Amino acid sequence: MHRLFAELEPSLTVTEQNLADRVRYISRSNIFDVTELERLRREAVPSSDENATAEDAAPQMVEQPANVDAAVNTPVVVDSNDDGTVAQELELEHMRSTLEEAIVETRSTPLENRPQLPCIALSKRNWAVVRALNPMLATYLEARRDLCETDSILFGAALAVCRISGAKVSTAGRATGHSSAIPAWRRRIEERIAKARALIGRLICFRSGNNRPRIVRTVRMAFAGTNVSLSQPDITQKLTERIDDLKQRIAAWGKRIRRYTERLKWFNQNRLFQSDQKRLYESLERPMVSGTGPAPNQADTVAFWRGLWSEPVNHSEGPWTEVVASQCAGITPMDPVIITPDDVAEAVRRAPNWKSPGLDGLHHYWLKGFMVCHSVLARQFQEALNQKSLPTLFTTGITHLVPKDQGTTDPSKYRPITCLPTI
């Protein structure tokens, strides 16, 4: 890579390590999506891929081979081009049937019961599946007049990509309520600690003379697999040793949680330093408030925010509005807004891949990959702008309340953040 860079830019002096660091930063920060990186590569080295320009000029071609590994359980045909690269053509009929099944399933599934789409790996293999399904969507999208139908088709296509590539899709539906932010590994360790503490309590009860059947049964299970009998004369010493052993295990598990938590915090800080140093320094100066305290009452929260959002308000405009209207009478009205497919493509290109979606569960990544939808979305956006109306789906979102203070139950001390559909 360093040799090639020196040939392309002989006037610049850069070390191999510096060049590798810059490439790593660009890859991790997601400044450019896969399509943009491919275009930059072809501009820098036009002779490396003679078919690149033809591929850009006709993205709807179905028979375009993909220089990637084939999808899981999908037969491939291996061939070699003039450059010596390996081209593998995916089984289109299998993919088309999977796409059809996913779209039909999505249409018949209520919005709240849609499966949760995973964040798939940004690999050439997955991108090849997206590119192969992209021209197939033209048949489904060309006759659609409604934004909700377009959103449903795109979600079905995303679901088909996940199934073809073998990504794990949650079939339990997307939960719109409170989700646990505690990782699975920590929950497992905390469950072990809770069970050990309960066992310690029963062992202490038995040592103090409590011989109830439940206590005795628990003590026998604690010494199962050993040569210890409850009728031994030194059973009190054995109980003490067992209790001390459990206490040491609890201390070790607690230390493991603290160590893992510190390691996770350092990892996130290092990753944030690579992508946004300003945000890292701000988080160090003003630590984020975590909502670990009791949650506010749901009825009080709904009543408070309904008073701000849902109650009609009668505003009495003063005479100053007439003065402003007379001053603006001579301003030339702006030209009508025309939304083009290029506008949609540019907006999608700058959007984060896996930003939290709204009720529909569709991420920006799929809008980037299914480029055939850009012209359809531009037309439907223009119609919505002319009619001055949007479907209810695109004005409804999932609102999360972020606490401003530590451990507060006052609904006014929470900041609402609403996730609208990415479209």
Side-chain angles (χ1 to χ4, degrees):
M1 182 174 60
H2 182 266
R3 178 184 54 80
L4 181 60
F5 184 83
E7 295 175 358
L8 294 174
E9 298 292 341
S11 59
L12 298 179
T13 302
V14 62
T15 63
E16 298 178 359
Q17 182 63 45
N18 190 8
L19 184 62
D21 292 341
R22 299 304 300 174
V23 172
R24 188 181 304 108
Y25 169 76
I26 293 175
S27 301
R28 291 181 176 178
S29 60
N30 292 330
I31 298 178
F32 306 108
D33 57 13
V34 179
T35 307
E36 188 70 12
L37 288 174
E38 184 68 16
R39 184 185 64 81
L40 293 174
R41 184 188 66 82
R42 289 195 298 267
E43 289 181 357
V45 192
S47 61
S48 64
D49 193 353
E50 298 177 357
N51 297 325
T53 56
E55 177 186 333
D56 269 358
Q60 291 82 11
M61 292 180 61
V62 177
E63 298 297 331
Q64 178 67 27
N67 298 333
V68 296
D69 296 332
V72 178
N73 297 329
T74 303
V76 297
V77 178
V78 181
D79 193 8
S80 299
N81 57 14
D82 296 336
D83 297 329
T85 60
V86 178
Q88 298 180 339
E89 187 173 305
L90 298 172
E91 174 79 28
L92 296 181
E93 288 302 323
H94 168 71
M95 300 176 68
R96 186 176 289 107
S97 62
T98 305
L99 175 63
E100 177 69 23
E101 293 175 1
I103 291 178
V104 172
E105 178 183 339
T106 303
R107 287 175 177 172
S108 60
T109 304
L111 199 65
E112 61 275 8
N113 293 338
R114 284 184 178 180
Q116 183 176 1
L117 296 177
C119 300
I120 64 174
L122 303 179
S123 61
K124 292 183 178 180
R125 172 175 170 269
N126 292 335
W127 188 248
V129 180
V130 175
R131 287 173 51 191
L133 292 185
N134 179 58
M136 300 180 189
L137 290 177
T139 306
Y140 300 94
L141 294 174
E142 59 186 7
R144 300 302 166 190
R145 308 290 298 180
D146 187 12
L147 271 170
C148 293
E149 292 185 10
T150 302
D151 180 89
S152 177
I153 293 173
L154 292 176
F155 186 91
L159 183 60
V161 172
C162 295
R163 291 176 176 175
I164 294 173
S165 60
K168 184 178 180 181
V169 180
S170 174
T171 58
R174 295 180 301 111
T176 57
H178 296 285
S179 60
S180 176
I182 302 177
W185 61 265
R186 180 165 181 170
R187 287 199 302 268
R188 289 193 297 267
I189 296 178
E190 289 177 349
E191 289 175 359
R192 296 178 196 169
I193 294 176
K195 292 179 180 179
R197 286 175 175 171
L199 180 57
I200 288 175
R202 298 201 173 185
L203 292 176
I204 293 176
C205 290
F206 182 80
R207 189 177 60 178
S208 61
N210 190 337
N211 294 325
R212 286 184 300 175
R214 180 181 299 178
I215 301 295
V216 174
R217 184 168 58 250
T218 304
V219 174
R220 286 177 178 173
M221 292 178 60
F223 288 103
T226 63
N227 296 325
V228 178
S229 175
L230 301 186
S231 59
Q232 291 181 356
D234 59 342
I235 187 60
T236 303
Q237 180 182 357
K238 298 294 184 181
L239 289 171
T240 303
E241 294 175 356
R242 181 63 173 165
I243 292 173
D244 292 341
D245 178 68
L246 290 174
K247 289 182 178 180
Q248 293 177 8
R249 291 190 180 188
I250 291 175
W253 287 332
K255 186 177 181 181
R256 182 182 300 178
I257 290 178
R258 290 190 296 271
R259 185 171 69 250
Y260 285 176
T261 304
E262 288 293 324
R263 188 264 174 193
L264 182 62
K265 182 181 71 172
W266 297 336
F267 174 80
N268 291 333
Q269 289 178 350
N270 291 336
R271 186 170 59 179
L272 186 60
F273 181 81
Q274 294 288 339
S275 59
D276 193 346
Q277 298 180 11
K278 178 181 177 182
R279 186 178 167 190
L280 171 63
Y281 295 138
E282 289 178 353
S283 66
L284 294 177
E285 294 175 358
R286 296 188 299 272
M288 296 180 60
V289 178
S290 60
T292 56
N297 182 270
Q298 184 176 2
D300 296 341
T301 304
V302 173
F304 174 79
W305 291 106
R306 179 175 289 150
L308 295 179
W309 288 344
S310 303
E311 299 296 334
V313 180
N314 295 324
H315 298 281
S316 58
E317 303 293 352
W320 62 272
T321 57
E322 300 178 359
V323 177
V324 175
S326 62
Q327 293 175 351
C328 299
I331 298 178
T332 304
M334 65 178 293
D335 297 331
V337 176
I338 305 298
I339 302 176
T340 64
D342 292 337
D343 297 332
V344 177
E346 179 62 19
V348 169
R349 186 189 67 82
R350 292 183 282 106
N353 284 335
W354 305 111
K355 190 174 182 180
S356 297
L359 289 171
D360 59 343
L362 192 66
H363 299 89
H364 283 128
Y365 174 83
W366 308 110
L367 300 180
K368 294 181 180 182
F370 301 133
M371 295 177 290
V372 70
C373 74
H374 294 171
S375 58
V376 178
L377 289 177
R379 171 173 55 81
Q380 293 175 344
F381 289 158
Q382 190 67 50
E383 294 174 356
L385 186 63
N386 296 337
Q387 298 172 2
K388 300 180 180 179
S389 65
L390 275 174
T392 307
L393 169 63
F394 297 98
T395 57
T396 306
I398 304 174
T399 300
H400 302 270
L401 297 179
V402 181
K404 299 179 182 178
D405 297 330
Q406 191 79 25
T408 179
T409 58
D410 186 2
S412 63
K413 298 298 183 181
Y414 284 78
R415 179 182 297 106
I417 297 180
T418 301
C419 296
L420 292 173
T422 53
I423 290 184

